[in-house]
Structure formats: C-alpha cells, structure tokens
Amino acid sequence: MITLLKNGKIYDPAHKKDGVIEDIYIYQGRIIPKPLDPSKISQTFDLSGKVVMAGAIDMHSHIGGGKMNIARMMLPELQQKQAQETKLLTEPEAHICTPHCSHHAVPSATDTGFRYIEMGYTAAFEPAISPVNARQAHLEMGDTPMIDKGGYAMLGNDDYFLRMLAAKKDQKAINDYVAWILHATQAIGIKVVNPGGINAFKFNQRRLNLDENNSHYQVSPREILQSLSRAVHELGIAKPLHVHCNNLGAAGNFETTLNTMGASDGLPMHLTHIQFHSYGTEGDKKFSSAAAQISEALNKNKHITADVGQILFGQTVTASGDSMMQHLNAKHANPKKSVIMDIECDAGCGVMPFKYRDQNYVNALQWAIGLEIFLSAEDPWRIFLTTDHPNGAPFTSYPHLIRLLMDKAFRNETFAKLNLDAQAMSNLASLSREYSLYEIAIMTRAGASKLIGLNDRGHLGVGASADITVYTDQPDREAMFAKPDYVFKNGELVVRDGVVTKVVWGATHTAKPAFDIGVEKDLKDYFDKYQTMQLDNFKMSNDEISHDGRGSIVVHDNKQASL
Amino acid sequence: MKNYTSSNEPTSATCPACGLLCDDLILNATGAESVKNGCAKSITFFEQSFQTDISASASLFGKPCDLNTAISAAADILRKSKQPLFAGLGTEVQGMRSLMRLAEKSNATLDHMHSESTVRNTLTMQNSGWLTTTLAEIKNRADVILAIGTDIVTSHPRFFEKLVWNTDSLFNKPTPEIIYLSVPAENTQAGIAPNGTSPTVIPADTASIPEIVNALNALLHHKKIKADTVAGVAISTLQAVADKLKSAQYAVVVWSAASLKFTHAELTVQSIVQLINTLNENSRAAGFPLNSGDGDTSINNTSTWLSGYPTRSRLVNGKPEYDTYHFSTKKQLDLCDALLWVSTFNPHSPPDIKTPTIVIGHPNTQLEHQPDVFIPVGIPGVDHAGLMFRVDSSITLPLKKLRDNHLPSLSDVISKIEASL
Ligand code: SF4
Ligand SMILES: [Zn+2]
C-alpha cells in the first residue's frame, strides 16, 4: 500500500531542493525511499508540472482559548453578515467558499481546521495560552479537525513567577517552574506578552518600558526576559522564548523593540508580530515607519527570529493577552466595543473588533511597514509569514499576502491606491524584491518547523510525516496558494481541488523537559493560600487530550543545555 | 449516614452546584460532617444526588422499557421532526459537545433553561463589551466590593468565605469594604466582616436600580444632580459610594443578571459596565457578572467554539444561526414539533407541551405528564466525569466520578441517538 507522487516539482528547503523534479513515496503515513518492489505501489498521482511542498505550518495563530471564544461571542454580527457573502479570489481573504463557510475573522473550531487545510496548512500553533486557561485552549484545539496543533504557555505576568524574580530565586528554581508549567499546560513553548506589563496594569500602571519597574515587584521587563530566555535555553526546548514586546502598537515603540533584542544577552528569542512593534514618531502625524531600523537590527542579530504580523485591509478582531495596551487602544475599536479581563493572578486579555482601512493614514502605513520588513529581511530562515491571526488579518488572507510578497507589480499597484500621506512616508515602492517559491517554502515550512523543533514535519525527506501540499504553478500566486490541487495529511489524501474530502484529526505537540518535582511543594502552598483551585486540578493530564481516541500527544525532545 | 462514595476513604470532589465550582470539597463516607468545605447548597446537591434511584429505568409514556428501545424511540421522534427544540441543556462540556452534534444532524434550535438571564449579559457584551475579573483577582486584590441587586451568597454561597474574608492575600490588602445596593437588609448578614465591621447597606427597590446606577455614573462624571435623593437614596450616600469606588485599589462590581427582573435589564447591565469603564480611566476596577447555574457558562462556551455562537441558536443544514429573541424556549415551544429536554444536575421538569417530548436527565425528574420518552442519565460529577466552566469562564475544571452505577452518561445516550438517526 504505497502511494507514489510522481514527477512533482519539489520545493524542500530543509534538503536544499529548489524546484527539482522528483518522486515521493508514502507508506503508513511517512515518506519512504523508493521501494525495491514497485508492485507494492497501489496509488499514483501524476504531478507533472505541479509544485510540491511540505504542508505549511503556522507558527503563530490564535486558534483556541478564552479570548478567541470571547471574540466569537461578542461578534455575532460578523458571522451573520459574512455568512451571506461568497469570497472571491480577488479579496484579501481569498479562499474557495464551501457551503458552510462562516468567514468570521475568528472561525469556529471546526471551520478553523477546514480553512487551514483547504489552503495546504497542516499545523498551527496557538501562541498565547494563559496557564489557568490551558484546558479550554486544548478543548478548542481538540475540536479543531484536520491539522496538528500546539500552544505556547504565557509566563512573565503571573504573580508566582514575579514573586520568584523579586525574591531573587536562583535560575534552577525558575527553570523548574517553567518546565512544570510546560507539563501542566501541555504546551510546546513559552511566550511572554508585554513582560511585566499585564501584571502592572492590575496595579494601575498604564505603560511599562523595558527598563521600567513593575511598581509592586520592582522588577523590569528586561529582567523578566533575561530570566525566561535563560530558562527556555537551559531547559533545551527547541523553541526560543516567544516575545510580544512592551508597547504594542504605540508610536515610537521601535526603540523598545531594538532594546529588547539585546535583553537576552545573546540567547535566542523570537519577537512576534514585529510589524506592530516597528513604529517611529516622525512626520506631521507623529507616526512613521521604523522598518528600516528594525530590519537592520534583525539582520545583524542572528539570535533573533521574528514573525511579521502583517495587517491586511478589512474587518477583523484583535485578541491579545496584552490587557494593558488593549485597554489603552480600546478607543479605536470598530465597531466600538471591547472586552478586557484581569485573569486569575496569572494573565489578562483584551479583545476588540478592528477595521483596517486603506485610506486611513496609520492603517495604510502599518500595511506598508509589514511588507517593508518582509522585503528587507535577508535571512528567510529567521522571518515568518504571519498576520498574527486574527489581529492583523484572518489567516485566510495568507494567499493574498504571499502574492504581495511574490509579485512586485501587484504590490505596487495596491500600494498606489493607499492613503497618499502614508505612501509618502514609505519606501515600499523602491523595494523591488520578489520572494521565490523556495523562500516562501522556507518561511511557511522548513523555517517554521525548525523554529518549533518539529523534526518530522515541514520537510519532505525520508522519514518525514507525509504532510504534503500540491499546487498548480500559476502566475497569480494568490489563486495558486488559495486552492491546492491535493493536500495529504499523514499520507492520506484529505483535500482535492481546495475542498476537504476526508475529515481527520491531528496531534497535539508538546515539550516536556525534565524538572525537579520538588517545585510542587512551594506551588502547593501557594495554590492553597492564594489561588482558587487545587494544584492538582490546574495540571492537565495527557489523558485529557487523548482519551476520546481522536486526539493524541507528541512529545518533542529537548536537548538539555549543559549547566 | 449513607455512604457518599464508592470507597470508604474520604474523596475530594468538585462541586457543580454553583458557578464558583469549588474543588476543595472532601466527601466522607460517614460521619456528621459528611461534606467538608461544602456549603448548604452543595450538601443539598450531593444529598439529592446520592439519593437518586440508580436503577431508574427508561420509559415510554411512563412504561418502563430498556435503554435501547428508548433510544430508538427518541431517534424516531427526531427523525420525524422538522424543527426540534433542545431545551433545558442542564449539562457540562462533554454533554453539550454531543448535543451540538445531534443538533447539527437534526436541525435543532438550542436554548438553555436560564438564558433569560444570561442573554441580558451577553447582549451587553455584544453591544459595548466590558471589563471583568476572575475569582483569584478578587481574592487577592479587591478592597471594595459593590454588590448591585444581589446578596451574592444565595446564588454563590462561598463567595465571602473564599474570596473576601481570606486572611492570606498576595498583596496584604485590607479586609474589603462591602457595599450592598438594593439588597434586602435581612440578606446582608454575609457582608459582616469576621471582625464585626458592617457592610454599607443602601436599600432600594430592584426597579430603581437603573436610576441609581445612572446617578452614580453622573457623579463619577462630576455632573451636578439637582435633586437631594434618587429613588429615595440620598445623593450624599451615592457620592460616598462613588468616592469609595474611585479611591479603591481594586474595586469589584458584582451583579446578577438573574436578579434584574425588569424589561430591558440589559440597559442596566450596560450602565454598570459604563460605571466600571469610567472608574478605569484613572484607577482600577472590574466587573463580576454572576451566572445562574445548571451548566449555563459551560454550554454557552462550548456552543461558541463549536458553532461561533452562544445559545439561542439553531443549526440549519449544518449552518449555525443566532437570534436571542426568536430562539428563546418560550417562543420555540409554540413552533417546535418535538422537544428534547435535558437537565442532568437537577431534576428540573420539562415544560408541559403537546408536542412529542423526550426527557433525558436526572433520575428523579418529576414528570407530571409522562413524556413520550424518558431516559434517566447519570449526574455529572457524581456518576461520571465531566468538564465544567466556572462563573468567570476563564477556568475549566474536571468533575469526578464518585460512585459506580449503571446509569449512562448524557453523551453516551446522545451519541447513540445520533448514531441511529
Ligand atoms: S459555593 Fe457553590 S460550588 Fe462552592 S460548594 Fe457551595 S454550591 Fe458548591
Ligand atoms: Zn468562504
């Protein structure tokens, strides 16, 4: 029972294959070498002229958990209105409409899985699980069909960690706590959102800069980043500390971002949705692009990776753990409403609908800034294609974004229609770069897999899980990436001509580094005194994900750094 | 004393009897203090649960039958129905997941038994949003608590014990000041601090809450109010409340949509939300909406991630629709051609209607008129495991199976009905 994918044009950056014509053999869900006995081949797909890539991996997409459900619940009008529309390939959220399309900027769990696989994405990672809310995040992801998933647990605003930092606990104690959180929340990595700021907001601080202290704990974001990046590094989980910098969305925030790059003393860090953190204060409107400075620093600092968080025009909803900055920006909500929460001495959240308009100076410039960063990044292995779904745009707009990156004429044409003042403040038209298919494959496959440490996904080598996407090579890259000819998930054909033909359920990826269980002694005391649930109920068991026979857990290796 | 648990060892349990979802209960097999850490409400819940008839049989028109016969009779009714109503929905996450699948297959309308209250909050959230908080934040930060129209403890009994009179808190805050607005004086005992400090009690009719909250809003905006009193409350009293809220480190405003029993109560919820927003311009404050129970928070969250909408929703050929007005149980009882009533935590009776009725729920459900099909199922958190959302929606906790018996779970039964459609 071997499946043969014959004569495809292979784009597999992990193996430096840039459009070579090769065959791929699939057996029991994995890619195998050419079999000695060809009679075992039971199924052949002739892929002559077709583009073949590994299934795409979205390394940062808000797909599950409390704030996504708040976004759905507070915006029934989005789903109602958009249920009546059919999307065209010329719109930013291009995709092939199915009878039950919702087009909600935050689709239901079911639709999330369907929309992803229809575009050839076979995995997506939720970047902001607040540890107390992990169970809900996994419930939602567990009801998301078709794709693999995983999550990053948020630390750095939880009172337990900040107490440790303020008490100058040693790094080993911090590492044990971080590892314990990874186990308890079934996460694959650690994220910090507005380090210290969400917590500071609860003490009525309204902004927090990198070297400013949280008024209660007297620790700074820089110290939080140092401690957490070191913990992540020493625990050896593949994924670097995932950082949403302080001062999200604020004019002039690029300096915070530049300084943040230096905060980890050279240890790896991933700066997420960097577009939202690349703003200067020049010009009449005191809002300008700092993409040049950010890109230069990004190119120079090899320990830093980033995803862009591109904005695209249209209605969406922003959902963030950053209650401090979302509260500050709530006046810009459109329609005008916002849900802000302080959560359980652990985290926060802020959710508000938002409409990016191409004739609005700031929005138009945000659009240009994202693209400027993409086009100025020298190393495609260190930059990732995201819209910070749904914050910059729904993930269904990826094909549109890919076209903007690959097609200069299309990009400049779109740019020429934007707010004129914004055009005057951007050098986008002078950037002539066009991304190649190979570079797109790096950003959306090989690089993402390497960053997260997925080993057997994101490439097409022998032994890899057969998550494979096949496209027709078309000059209109948006049409091409919106509608793959075939998508294989673990070797099974699940999408044909952009439409799901079989429903499957992906695995949940986790990291479980070793730690000293002694850490629970103090935690138990803390929970009993200050929390409102039992320590044992905070922890999620493997069984909770796999008991229904549909979900499964993959534990990724970690290479414990020598201490 | 009866045996609460299957073993003779004390067992820890999570209590689903109210939205606080306390998970520190210890059920003892014997002894006077049979439920440790439990409140009266939880003791009633567990006693009621453990007294159920675990050998209760399914029935058709009151005549006992085996489970499979009942399941195929239920499937028959749903197969013939064009627009069934799934009401009650007293269940937890796993039960709701299975109900959503069945609803999709049978084009059902979904509404929870307490949604009349829930909708007041949901509409506010959908109209203006809000700023809210969770239990641990209250426990560690709240220094002023304003309860509007609710004594809190009737619906959420351990609120003060667990979150207000706690002596350990992360930031050494003072014992919170309690202000009751429009709560009958005889219900304000719970607000007396352990050191004897009395709460501030501002008596007023429920019906005058809108007026008073508006006056508070005006005072927060430094607007002059011409009258000396509003709805019988002295302006000076309200000014004192406004000042306390403003100078609080972390003020928490609690309301219960269920107690706001007047038309357009959602507008009052909105005024409360506005008050909280105004406070947050300069200081910190947060809202805390209480829920009604019977799994309301759980089923609305589950419905939302599965379909994009909370309840008062309908699935038409797989496509979800949402309408808080038309899809109410009250309206749909006149329109539906079959009723599936679900109440697993409590023996709530179904509404009495002529259309074919399937009741799946608590073994002790009192049935005045025998429904076409009755299937007794286990109680989540007693007879089988489950998952439940807390009042603040941020926390989901596992419910435990506490005793062995043969009652099927709701999701078992629903999945079998779905399979035989
Ligand atoms: S307060 Fe509520 S959850 Fe806690 S024990 Fe009482 S009824 Fe149960
Ligand atoms: Zn569509």
Side-chain angles (χ1 to χ4, degrees):
Chain A
M1 293 298 281
I2 292 172
T3 302
L4 165 59
L5 309 185
K6 203 172 164 51
N7 279 332
K9 231 198 272 176
I10 311 288
Y11 291 87
D12 182 17
H15 299 97
K16 301 203 165 54
K17 291 183 182 166
D18 185 2
V20 295
I21 310 287
E22 270 182 20
D23 296 340
I24 292 175
Y25 299 89
I26 305 169
Y27 179 64
Q28 290 188 339
R30 292 200 178 262
I31 295 176
I32 56 161
K34 182 174 181 173
L36 296 174
D37 177 1
S39 72
K40 295 228 169 83
I41 296 168
S42 55
Q43 197 178 197
T44 301
F45 291 85
D46 181 5
L47 304 185
S48 306
K50 306 277 184 204
V51 168
V52 180
M53 296 185 185
I57 298 164
D58 195 345
M59 46 70 63
H60 184 113
S61 171
H62 298 273
I63 54 170
K67 63 189 181 310
M68 304 332 290
N69 231 24
I70 290 169
R72 295 179 186 113
M73 207 179 278
M74 78 187 286
L75 290 160
E77 68 271 28
L78 284 198
Q79 186 170 340
Q80 261 152 3
K81 178 172 159 283
Q82 296 176 359
Q84 283 137 48
E85 302 169 345
T86 302
K87 288 287 170 190
L88 304 173
L89 283 179
T90 49
E91 293 173 81
E93 308 87 12
H95 71 266
I96 306 305
C97 276
T98 56
H100 301 165
C101 263
S102 72
H103 298 162
H104 198 298
V106 184
S108 67
T110 321
D111 283 353
T112 299
F114 277 59
R115 295 295 92 79
Y116 262 119
I117 202 86
E118 286 161 6
M119 298 192 308
Y121 273 74
T122 50
F125 290 83
E126 162 59 53
I129 294 181
S130 50
V132 294
N133 187 245
R135 194 166 276 119
Q136 180 182 359
H138 284 291
L139 276 167
E140 293 186 26
M141 290 195 282
D143 279 330
T144 304
M146 311 307 294
I147 57 171
D148 282 25
K149 46 247 164 180
Y152 314 59
M154 289 190 290
L155 287 178
N157 283 291
D158 53 315
D159 286 292
Y160 189 81
F161 170 79
L162 292 171
R163 267 160 66 102
M164 287 181 98
L165 209 55
K168 307 233 176 307
K169 288 279 161 71
D170 63 21
Q171 187 70 33
K172 171 165 182 312
I174 303 263
N175 294 359
D176 282 333
Y177 172 57
V178 171
W180 181 83
I181 284 285
L182 282 165
H183 283 253
T185 60
Q186 300 284 354
I188 192 168
I190 299 292
K191 160 100 172 287
V192 56
V193 174
N194 187 351
I198 299 168
N199 184 285
F201 179 55
K202 298 174 188 176
F203 292 103
N204 204 26
Q205 278 175 283
R206 300 304 168 116
R207 286 286 285 276
L208 195 64
N209 284 307
L210 188 63
D211 291 304
E212 199 177 336
N213 278 349
N214 172 300
S215 63
H216 178 77
Y217 290 104
Q218 294 299 316
V219 298
S220 68
R222 185 187 294 275
E223 292 166 80
I224 294 168
L225 290 168
Q226 277 166 343
S227 169
L228 286 176
S229 62
R230 203 171 142 200
V232 164
H233 178 70
E234 291 183 355
L235 289 170
I237 54 177
K239 163 151 272 324
L241 178 66
H242 201 88
V243 181
H244 155 144
C245 296
N246 303 90
N247 291 325
L248 169 91
N253 64 9
F254 81 102
E255 297 199 38
T256 304
T257 311
L258 294 180
N259 293 333
T260 299
M261 291 186 193
S264 65
D265 304 324
L267 290 177
M269 278 196 302
H270 178 84
L271 304 191
T272 193
H273 40 71
I274 200 162
Q275 178 276 129
F276 287 109
H277 303 271
S278 302
Y279 304 149
T281 51
E282 280 162 30
D284 296 345
K285 302 204 162 69
K286 304 273 175 259
F287 182 88
S288 59
S289 168
Q293 294 94 316
I294 292 291
S295 302
E296 191 194 334
L298 199 55
N299 290 335
K300 212 165 56 198
N301 285 285
K302 311 279 187 222
H303 67 292
I304 300 292
T305 52
D307 64 273
V308 172
Q310 178 68 34
I311 72 116
L312 293 164
F313 304 115
Q315 175 74 59
T316 191
V317 47
T318 66
S320 172
D322 198 342
S323 49
M324 174 188 257
M325 297 310 285
Q326 289 287 79
H327 182 259
L328 194 69
N329 292 326
K331 54 184 176 292
H332 301 302
N334 185 356
K336 201 160 171 41
K337 51 182 165 181
S338 62
V339 168
I340 308 281
M341 279 185 86
D342 296 323
I343 302 175
E344 211 60 5
C345 298
D346 182 59
C349 84
V351 184
M352 65 179 109
F354 201 86
K355 208 178 259 169
Y356 293 103
R357 291 175 297 131
D358 59 3
Q359 295 312 317
N360 171 288
Y361 170 77
V362 171
N363 298 165
L365 203 52
Q366 286 178 301
W367 181 91
I369 291 169
L371 292 174
E372 289 171 20
I373 294 171
F374 268 119
L375 298 171
S376 313
E378 285 163 6
D379 182 358
W381 290 89
R382 292 197 288 115
I383 191 100
F384 301 91
L385 186 144
T386 65
T387 55
D388 186 21
H389 164 80
N391 296 326
F395 66 79
T396 42
S397 44
Y398 286 166
H400 182 82
L401 174 54
I402 291 174
R403 183 169 183 204
L404 288 170
L405 296 175
M406 295 190 72
D407 183 340
K408 177 169 166 282
F410 175 66
R411 181 167 70 229
N412 287 345
E413 207 177 285
T414 314
F415 182 64
K417 291 181 203 145
L418 304 188
N419 173 290
L420 290 173
D421 293 336
Q423 286 188 48
M425 291 292 280
S426 167
N427 68 347
L428 187 67
S430 70
L431 299 172
S432 60
R433 179 171 174 190
E434 291 184 329
Y435 267 80
S436 66
L437 284 173
Y438 188 72
E439 288 172 318
I440 295 291
I442 295 173
M443 281 201 295
T444 58
R445 276 83 174 167
S449 156
K450 186 175 161 212
L451 182 81
I452 306 171
L454 291 181
N455 304 325
D456 68 345
R457 317 247 161 196
H459 67 90
L460 297 171
V462 165
S465 288
D467 287 1
I468 301 171
T469 303
V470 178
Y471 306 99
T472 298
D473 199 347
Q474 307 177 49
D476 180 347
R477 298 306 189 186
E478 183 167 346
M480 169 176 170
F481 280 94
K483 187 186 172 191
D485 297 64
Y486 305 109
V487 181
F488 297 86
K489 179 73 190 148
N490 292 324
E492 269 191 284
L493 180 66
V494 294
V495 170
R496 192 189 276 271
D497 295 328
V499 176
V500 174
T501 53
K502 180 169 188 199
V503 177
V504 295
W505 296 90
T508 299
H509 295 263
T510 64
K512 301 195 169 157
F515 68 100
D516 180 355
I517 191 73
V519 70
E520 279 199 358
K521 194 173 162 289
D522 186 59
L523 274 161
K524 168 112 179 54
D525 186 51
Y526 177 86
F527 267 69
D528 288 346
K529 271 199 181 122
Y530 308 119
Q531 284 293 355
T532 49
M533 68 173 116
Q534 303 288 303
L535 181 79
D536 283 343
N537 283 332
F538 174 85
K539 297 190 281 183
M540 276 192 72
S541 70
N542 293 352
D543 200 42
E544 291 188 53
I545 288 174
S546 58
H547 76 104
D548 61 0
R550 209 168 70 176
S552 58
I553 292 182
V554 178
V555 184
H556 287 277
D557 289 347
N558 44 286
K559 299 161 194 72
Q560 205 103 17
S562 44
L563 300 179
Chain B
M1 202 67 212
K2 42 202 171 294
N3 266 19
Y4 270 177
T5 55
S6 28
S7 75
N8 281 323
E9 298 294 307
T11 311
S12 68
T14 300
C15 171
C18 88
L20 294 186
L21 204 56
C22 301
D23 65 347
D24 57 348
L25 275 65
I26 309 280
L27 270 57
N28 286 319
T30 52
E33 244 198 7
S34 49
V35 182
K36 196 175 149 223
N37 293 336
C39 64
K41 189 171 191 162
S42 68
I43 292 170
T44 308
F45 170 79
F46 283 109
E47 293 200 328
Q48 172 186 287
S49 299
F50 282 100
Q51 277 161 10
T52 52
D53 179 4
I54 54 168
S55 58
S57 156
S59 57
L60 301 182
F61 299 103
K63 275 209 197 101
C65 67
D66 67 25
L67 182 60
N68 288 335
T69 311
I71 283 171
S72 48
D76 267 347
I77 292 174
L78 291 178
R79 206 180 298 116
K80 283 180 200 137
S81 163
K82 289 216 165 50
Q83 34 185 349
L85 169 64
F86 292 6
L89 306 186
T91 180
E92 45 69 69
V93 172
Q94 304 296 17
M96 187 59 182
R97 286 172 78 226
S98 59
L99 281 167
M100 292 290 291
R101 283 195 300 270
L102 183 63
E104 184 164 357
K105 282 217 172 148
S106 52
N107 288 343
T109 303
L110 296 143
D111 187 26
H112 188 265
M113 62 179 99
H114 301 312
S115 65
E116 202 62 43
S117 312
T118 317
V119 159
R120 294 178 192 135
N121 283 336
T122 316
L123 286 177
T124 301
M125 186 223 206
Q126 291 170 346
N127 190 53
S128 63
W130 58 24
L131 194 161
T132 60
T133 192
T134 71
L135 299 187
E137 300 288 4
I138 297 176
K139 178 174 175 177
N140 290 289
R141 292 181 198 276
D143 55 347
V144 173
I145 295 174
L146 167 63
I148 301 179
T150 172
D151 63 18
I152 305 176
V153 290
T154 303
S155 58
H156 295 71
R158 292 176 67 199
F159 183 88
F160 286 92
E161 173 218 318
K162 285 177 67 178
L163 311 171
V164 183
W165 308 140
N166 48 301
T167 44
D168 289 319
S169 74
L170 282 166
F171 316 113
N172 295 320
K173 61 163 186 168
T175 304
E177 276 202 62
I178 311 300
I179 307 163
Y180 287 109
L181 171 62
S182 179
V183 177
E186 63 272 23
N187 291 357
T188 58
Q189 294 296 312
I192 301 172
N195 69 6
T197 310
S198 293
T200 304
V201 178
I202 305 171
D205 291 351
T206 311
S208 53
I209 291 177
E211 218 181 321
I212 297 173
V213 174
N214 286 343
L216 273 174
N217 266 318
L219 292 172
L220 283 181
H221 281 113
H222 306 291
K223 288 198 188 121
K224 286 263 172 298
I225 296 176
K226 294 230 174 72
D228 293 335
T229 62
V230 169
V233 181
I235 294 296
S236 57
T237 306
L238 293 180
Q239 185 63 56
V241 172
D243 291 345
K244 269 183 197 162
L245 290 171
K246 275 196 285 192
S247 58
Q249 296 286 322
Y250 196 86
V252 173
V253 183
V254 185
W255 73 92
S256 160
S259 68
L260 303 176
K261 290 196 179 81
F262 39 80
T263 41
H264 293 304
E266 70 275 9
L267 297 179
T268 299
V269 177
Q270 203 150 324
S271 302
I272 297 174
V273 165
Q274 205 183 339
L275 181 121
I276 296 160
N277 287 345
T278 307
L279 287 169
N280 277 294
E281 283 169 17
N282 295 304
S283 60
R284 283 311 320 272
F288 192 72
L290 299 173
N291 69 328
S292 300
D294 284 292
D296 52 358
T297 317
S298 304
I299 67 105
N300 278 312
N301 269 293
T302 308
S303 169
T304 301
W305 82 68
L306 286 175
S307 73
Y309 296 124
T311 57
R312 291 209 175 163
S313 61
R314 175 160 79 187
L315 287 140
V316 182
N317 300 325
K319 212 170 118 183
E321 294 175 358
Y322 177 65
D323 192 321
T324 52
Y325 180 73
H326 284 107
F327 298 160
S328 72
T329 301
K330 210 170 147 206
K331 280 229 156 355
Q332 288 297 316
L333 282 176
D334 296 336
L335 299 170
C336 69
D337 55 5
L339 170 67
L340 167 60
W341 176 261
V342 174
S343 174
T344 60
F345 294 109
N346 294 295
H348 297 305
S349 309
D352 181 19
I353 56 164
K354 296 262 173 311
T355 38
T357 300
I358 307 160
V359 175
I360 306 181
H362 199 281
N364 288 7
T365 306
Q366 293 303 309
L367 299 161
E368 270 174 48
H369 300 271
Q370 290 303 336
D372 302 51
V373 183
F374 172 55
I375 303 176
V377 292
I379 300 160
V382 176
D383 297 318
H384 62 83
L387 285 167
M388 193 103 175
F389 276 72
R390 214 166 70 177
V391 50
D392 49 26
S393 273
S394 294
I395 310 293
T396 318
L397 294 176
L399 301 177
K400 283 186 186 162
K401 176 184 168 83
L402 299 176
R403 62 171 181 178
D404 286 319
N405 62 48
H406 297 297
L407 289 170
S409 70
L410 175 69
S411 28
D412 288 345
V413 171
I414 296 293
S415 301
K416 282 185 183 145
I417 296 176
E418 189 201 339
S420 50
L421 269 187

